[in-house]
Amino acid sequence: MKGFDREKLKVFFAGHTDEDLVSWPNEVKLMDQFGLTCSEADELIMTSGFLPARYQRNRQMITTEQQLKLLRSQVAVIGCGGLGGYVIEELARLGVGRLRVIDPDVFTEHNLNRQLFATMNNLGTSKVVAALKRVQQINPAVCVDPRQVAVGSDNGIDLLTGMDVVVDAIDNISGRLELAQLCSRLGISLVHGSIGGWFGQVGCIAPGQPTMQKLYPNPTADKGIETTFGTPSFTPAVVGSMQSAQVCKILLGQGWRLDEGILAVDLLQMQFDNMPM
Amino acid sequence: MIQVTVKLFASFRIGRFVREIREYPPATTVGDVVRDLKVPEAEVGILLLNFVHVNLQHQLADGDSLSIFPLVGGG
């Protein structure tokens, strides 16, 4: 953090806060007056005992101290399609400060039925660039690092080192198995999610747990039931949101997590089953 | 004959059932049940027998509870 004239800062907060909240127009003034980025302004507001007003509805559930912890957290989201779109949107709104978003693909027409960032105007353009633009619009304090590549054994260590949590929002099985190995090697928790038709599954994989190998025992199969059923709009929203909640709880160290099993989601029968792993 | 509780998950429920108690001859394997239900083997993901992971070759006993999940791989 930069050195500040503490007296000037005290005067600023005295004149630009409502209770302990700093509104967006006042945060912009803070950024202008003190030469800060939005992320730095968020950090300064919270370390000074205030809260950026756009986080006020996170409160009671998330304390200011926890909000600051989220701002200082780094999460990699692998895959920016169906699941990844919702995860990125939700983590940005939650206030996770650094998101590395990774996907080699561009948007195509068949993405429009379910992928949050796919629009008529960005067909043919990069998914990670769309994610960056979206996050800048909803929470400029979040630093997005877009990488238009596939994660593999050649680049995985570079891409994932330093992450607090990695989110599996990939669309193929071989990629998931490779990602799980990389996360185990790096000692990073992996939040798995996958979907097909009315169905999905979500779980947290601690480093070293062979969950992914148990989920996908046949190494020659690269796709599952999604090839038969496709995926409608709501399944990635449900499963992606569950992944976001898991990420939040891992970062804040609270609540019950899907550490020892996988939650199987069936939106046709409306059944949710915990399977031990 | 042995009685086995079979639980199906996700798309395997469509046109079949969610949970059923079924009778099989002794020495029936998990793979026999999968074939009996006309579940394509290539689509089978996790197999849990009494909450423990097993493979298709595992032999069933009277009173066992078998859960069959498909591969779900979309993102």
Side-chain angles (χ1 to χ4, degrees):
Chain A
M1 211 69 201
K2 298 167 185 175
F4 293 105
D5 184 332
R6 303 306 298 187
E7 202 48 44
K8 252 186 171 174
L9 202 58
K10 215 170 152 186
V11 170
F12 180 90
F13 282 130
H16 296 87
T17 50
D18 180 9
E19 305 273 323
D20 65 343
L21 296 177
V22 179
S23 69
W24 177 243
N26 283 332
E27 186 165 349
V28 172
K29 281 182 197 159
L30 178 71
M31 287 154 63
D32 287 346
Q33 278 189 29
F34 292 83
L36 303 173
T37 65
C38 183
S39 172
E40 290 168 340
D42 265 21
E43 170 120 15
L44 186 60
I45 289 166
M46 287 192 266
T47 51
S48 303
F50 301 97
L51 187 72
R54 66 189 184 286
Y55 298 127
Q56 63 188 294
R57 291 291 191 273
N58 284 355
R59 269 215 290 211
Q60 304 314 321
M61 196 188 117
I62 295 170
T63 64
T64 298
E65 195 180 50
Q66 290 174 324
Q67 193 70 59
L68 188 57
K69 192 165 188 196
L70 292 175
L71 181 72
R72 291 171 172 167
S73 297
Q74 299 200 65
V75 176
V77 182
I78 321 302
C80 302
L83 294 171
Y86 286 98
V87 170
I88 293 163
E89 172 94 5
E90 289 166 3
L91 295 184
R93 289 187 187 276
L94 188 67
V96 174
R98 289 173 187 278
L99 297 175
R100 180 166 291 163
V101 300
I102 306 174
D103 194 311
D105 292 337
V106 297
F107 284 116
T108 56
E109 201 175 331
H110 62 78
N111 298 148
L112 284 166
N113 82 323
R114 68 192 185 285
Q115 301 194 8
L116 189 58
F117 302 150
T119 66
M120 287 297 176
N121 294 327
N122 67 13
L123 297 180
T125 67
S126 156
K127 291 186 179 183
V128 295
V129 171
L132 168 71
K133 286 180 180 165
R134 174 69 180 167
V135 172
Q136 283 171 339
Q137 284 180 330
I138 57 180
N139 190 352
V142 178
C143 300
V144 175
D145 179 8
R147 305 289 185 100
Q148 197 178 348
V149 292
V151 175
S153 51
D154 53 331
N155 60 4
I157 300 291
D158 279 348
L159 286 169
L160 304 180
T161 296
M163 294 297 137
D164 296 305
V165 180
V166 172
V167 178
D168 165 18
I170 307 180
D171 66 352
N172 63 84
I173 292 171
S174 54
R176 293 178 194 283
L177 289 164
E178 202 159 24
L179 183 64
Q181 280 189 343
L182 282 163
C183 288
S184 270
R185 202 171 143 193
L186 291 168
I188 303 171
S189 290
L190 177 62
V191 177
H192 164 74
S194 65
I195 48 175
W198 299 88
F199 316 105
Q201 59 196 31
V202 58
C204 296
I205 305 177
Q209 279 186 333
T211 306
M212 205 72 93
Q213 294 90 317
K214 287 181 177 172
L215 283 170
Y216 303 110
N218 178 1
T220 58
D222 205 34
K223 297 278 178 186
I225 57 170
E226 67 281 4
T227 52
T228 312
F229 293 92
T231 306
S233 59
F234 43 78
T235 311
V238 170
V239 174
S241 298
M242 288 180 169
Q243 288 181 280
S244 300
Q246 295 297 309
V247 172
C248 179
K249 289 188 284 184
I250 292 172
L251 293 175
L252 299 181
Q254 62 178 198
W256 189 82
R257 307 197 307 250
L258 294 164
D259 281 332
E260 276 150 30
I262 289 285
L263 181 70
V265 175
D266 178 345
L267 297 176
L268 192 59
Q269 303 286 342
M270 289 311 280
Q271 285 193 9
F272 297 80
D273 297 276
N274 269 300
M275 328 175 229
M277 295 304 293
Chain B
M1 298 295 270
I2 57 168
Q3 284 200 334
V4 178
T5 303
V6 179
K7 296 178 192 166
L8 298 177
F9 289 85
S11 55
F12 290 167
R13 290 170 171 170
I14 296 173
R16 297 187 186 88
F17 54 86
V18 172
R19 181 181 180 278
E20 223 172 69
I21 297 172
R22 298 173 72 88
E23 289 205 332
Y24 290 101
T28 294
T29 64
V30 172
D32 293 333
V33 175
V34 166
R35 286 182 285 276
D36 174 48
L37 294 172
K38 298 186 170 52
V39 168
E41 271 184 50
E43 289 179 16
V44 173
I46 314 165
L47 295 163
L48 291 178
L49 189 67
N50 310 322
F51 300 108
V52 176
H53 287 261
V54 292
N55 58 29
L56 290 165
Q57 289 73 44
H58 193 96
Q59 219 170 75
L60 298 168
D62 190 42
D64 274 348
S65 174
L66 174 66
S67 298
I68 307 172
F69 296 80
L71 293 172
V72 181

